[in-house]
Amino acid sequence: MSVGERWCVVGGGMLGMALALRLAQRGQRVTVWEGAAELGGLAAPWSLGEIVWDRHYHVTLASDSYLRGLLRELGVESELTWVTTRTGFYAGGRLLSLSSIFDYAAFPLLSPLEKMRLAATIIRASRIGDARPLERISAVDWLRRHSGQRTLERMWYPLLRAKLGANADRVSAAFIWAIIARMYAARRSGAKRELFGYVRGGYARILDRLATHLVECGVRAVVGRRVESVTRSEDGSLVVKASDGSAEAFDRVVVTAASPLAARLCPELTERERELHEGVEYQGIICASLVLDHPLSAYYITNIVDAWVPFTAVIEMTALVDRATFGGRSLVYLPKYVTEGDPALARSDEEIEREFLDALEHMYPGLQPGAVRGFRISRVRYVLPLSTLGYSDRLPPIRTSVPGLYVVNSAQIVNGTLNVNETIALAERAYPGLLADHPAGKQRPLNV
Ligand SMILES: Cc1cc2nc3c(=O)[nH]c(=O)nc-3n(C[C@H](O)[C@H](O)[C@H](O)COP(=O)(O)OP(=O)(O)OC[C@H]3O[C@@H](n4cnc5c(N)ncnc54)[C@H](O)[C@@H]3O)c2cc1C
């Protein structure tokens, strides 16, 4: 390992920052270039009037050991608050609770036999150690086979839609396995019931501490600097150029942006490398944040069975976070997961707001139009790489054919759901290999 090399990490999301931190702590000279006006990426906060909270809803599970390790390092793990939340289902125009074993027994959408098959499916998935064979069958086919058609339609499909929208049919059974594995890990961590946690102040607090810690460890983070290209110069260094005209030479560059973006930034990749990155299909999101006078329900998440509803779930942050944090008001998210090319991403804020509020008023007749105090829409084209059939056979490798240039991104989270814990776990797995790599030496693939 050469000490004190100049590294540029492209992307100041949780992944880029975790990598930058570890590299700097091992003596490297690290700069982060982030295109947005602030650090944090998908986990960044924003404001709705007086309220500052995460742009996208986030919870932490007790089993999120990598994330909790980082929070400990930042001195904020003790600020985690743990809450048992409730889950709802909106079906046939009714709001149903599915929060306890009693709710499950009384759940009207499935017969007792279907409930037993459903429970057996979950247990079966939890006992599978290697998810790779599940990549050969679609989630929908696998769930139909083990739980039956009606349970697929009434339970599994709404759950898949809440996470994937129109991509629900595209993922392999490994996706369902990953969700069940995360749920089981949370239970195994000692809690009898699934607890959801958040740091007081939300991700704004975590990111504030992380930014300070980065500076203390010698990382230089530059925001508002969108990278346009990374190319090799004659002296062997890598030149990183940004859209504001700035350019700087580095010994090594780690791109953490989504694969299709990484392919565009790195023109010297081989055709095969480009093909692998462009071949990763992403899920996008339109996510509305609303401030309401009153909560809509007692559920943290309400999964939606009725197909006419234009969003894929209702998330009530106030079922988790004390309302006093939001000035006594209620913070609600309405996510609509979309394909990366969905024309809905180009619709105006006004159109989306009208459509979402009409549907919400229909679902919750008690909601008065005047009770909506804030409405803001986030759109992201590349959120979550889809775990499609045979996904791990087409993984883009970390090391590229350009010496010193690496791509570490969410596409390399195989058979895991996208969450900050997996993101940090990826950084922890990847950085020793980056340090050990000798760009000018023999090219060997780096595995994560
Ligand atoms: C709706 C939603 C809900 C979620 N809920 C949870 C949850 O409950 N719990 C949980 O743990 N996780 C949750 N997550 C996931 C979590 O936010 C992600 O796992 C994590 O933030 C991903 O970090 P990242 O750094 O890999 O990617 P990103 O956050 O996407 O970071 C990539 C960064 O690269 C920057 N970038 C891209 N191109 C360039 C360029 N050319 N030049 C410079 N910079 C560039 C981007 O601006 C961005 O900041 C959720 C995500 C979403 C969208």
Side-chain angles (χ1 to χ4, degrees):
M1 169 179 108
S2 14
V3 172
E5 283 187 302
R6 300 162 303 165
W7 292 71
C8 179
V9 175
V10 178
M14 290 304 291
L15 177 58
M17 285 189 284
L19 279 170
L21 181 63
R22 295 296 176 243
L23 292 170
Q25 286 170 328
R26 268 116 196 122
Q28 306 302 304
R29 287 181 281 151
V30 188
T31 300
V32 175
W33 281 14
E34 165 56 47
E38 60 188 350
L39 296 170
L42 296 173
W46 69 0
S47 52
L48 280 124
E50 309 272 280
I51 295 173
V52 176
W53 202 257
D54 311 353
R55 182 159 72 116
H56 305 110
Y57 49 94
H58 279 78
V59 292
T60 300
L61 301 190
S63 54
D64 284 349
S65 51
Y66 289 96
L67 171 58
R68 291 182 69 175
L70 180 65
L71 296 181
R72 204 170 309 131
E73 186 175 334
L74 300 179
V76 294
E77 200 200 12
S78 58
E79 295 173 28
L80 274 167
T81 300
W82 297 101
V83 178
T84 303
T85 59
R86 301 182 62 198
T87 301
F89 260 73
Y90 183 78
R94 280 190 302 160
L95 207 51
L96 305 165
S97 178
L98 195 52
S99 313
S100 67
I101 194 81
F102 303 108
D103 288 344
Y104 188 62
F107 196 62
L109 298 186
L110 303 177
S111 71
L113 185 65
E114 286 163 343
K115 285 176 195 169
M116 277 165 60
R117 272 187 88 183
L118 173 68
T121 309
I122 294 174
I123 292 168
R124 172 187 284 267
S126 74
R127 291 194 176 145
I128 296 174
D130 174 13
R132 203 148 169 164
L134 294 176
E135 288 190 13
R136 291 199 288 270
I137 177 167
S138 77
V140 165
D141 286 344
W142 191 82
L143 292 167
R144 185 186 294 110
R145 180 184 299 169
H146 294 291
S147 294
Q149 178 66 23
R150 251 170 58 96
T151 307
L152 173 69
E153 282 167 14
R154 294 175 161 224
M155 178 66 75
W156 287 117
Y157 210 67
L159 289 172
L160 281 172
R161 257 176 39 92
K163 283 260 172 216
L164 297 164
N167 283 319
D169 295 288
R170 307 260 311 115
V171 293
S172 77
F175 181 81
I176 280 290
W177 175 87
I179 290 185
I180 292 173
R182 183 161 158 82
M183 192 178 95
Y184 264 76
R187 296 259 153 87
R188 269 200 302 274
S189 67
K192 290 215 169 47
R193 305 192 65 174
E194 194 171 274
L195 291 172
F196 282 173
Y198 69 97
V199 167
R200 287 190 292 281
Y203 264 83
R205 167 80 179 136
I206 298 173
L207 290 167
D208 191 46
R209 278 295 307 135
L210 184 50
T212 306
H213 193 45
L214 286 172
V215 172
E216 287 162 357
C217 294
V219 174
R220 191 165 59 99
V222 186
V223 294
R225 189 160 289 177
R226 185 148 297 277
V227 173
E228 280 193 334
S229 66
V230 183
T231 49
R232 195 91 189 148
S233 71
E234 273 173 18
D235 68 359
S237 60
L238 291 163
V239 177
V240 182
K241 284 199 183 121
S243 52
D244 61 5
S246 53
E248 210 172 311
F250 295 92
D251 302 307
R252 315 242 212 144
V253 175
V254 189
V255 175
T256 67
S259 273
L261 300 175
R264 256 177 262 160
L265 296 184
C266 308
E268 291 166 1
L269 293 181
T270 62
E271 209 161 301
R272 175 65 187 146
E273 287 168 329
R274 187 174 306 287
E275 221 173 72
L276 286 173
H277 282 293
E278 286 169 353
V280 179
E281 289 177 59
Y282 275 77
Q283 159 106 316
I285 194 169
I286 297 169
C287 188
S289 299
L290 285 75
V291 179
L292 305 177
D293 278 346
H294 306 287
L296 293 167
S297 74
Y299 307 121
Y300 172 69
I301 179 160
T302 300
N303 298 296
I304 295 169
V305 179
D306 295 1
W308 63 267
V309 180
F311 33 84
T312 42
V314 177
I315 314 286
E316 294 203 58
M317 200 38 76
T318 334
L320 181 68
V321 179
D322 191 340
R323 273 174 78 184
T325 309
F326 308 125
R329 298 219 154 103
S330 178
L331 177 62
V332 173
Y333 294 87
L334 303 178
K336 178 186 174 74
Y337 285 98
V338 294
T339 58
E340 61 184 68
D342 195 319
L345 283 161
R347 292 174 69 199
S348 72
D349 282 7
E350 294 70 29
E351 261 181 288
I352 295 171
E353 180 171 343
R354 196 58 267 145
E355 186 188 44
F356 279 22
L357 287 182
D358 281 351
L360 205 64
E361 284 164 22
H362 193 83
M363 289 173 71
Y364 302 89
L367 175 69
Q368 303 294 324
V372 181
R373 303 293 174 165
F375 195 104
R376 205 167 165 193
I377 296 168
S378 162
R379 296 174 186 76
V380 187
R381 192 170 295 279
Y382 303 115
V383 171
L384 163 81
L386 281 181
S387 135
T388 45
L389 293 178
Y391 182 74
S392 44
D393 298 334
R394 304 183 304 273
L395 272 192
I398 286 186
R399 180 208 260 142
T400 73
S401 56
V402 180
L405 173 62
Y406 311 91
V407 180
V408 182
N409 69 12
S410 53
Q412 290 144 351
I413 298 175
V414 185
N415 297 332
T417 58
L418 183 73
N419 56 68
V420 176
N421 190 58
E422 287 283 356
T423 300
I424 301 196
L426 171 62
E428 301 286 7
R429 280 199 305 275
Y431 87 83
L434 298 179
L435 287 171
D437 191 40
H438 298 282
K442 205 165 94 203
Q443 299 289 297
R444 61 192 187 283
L446 268 180
N447 295 318
V448 279

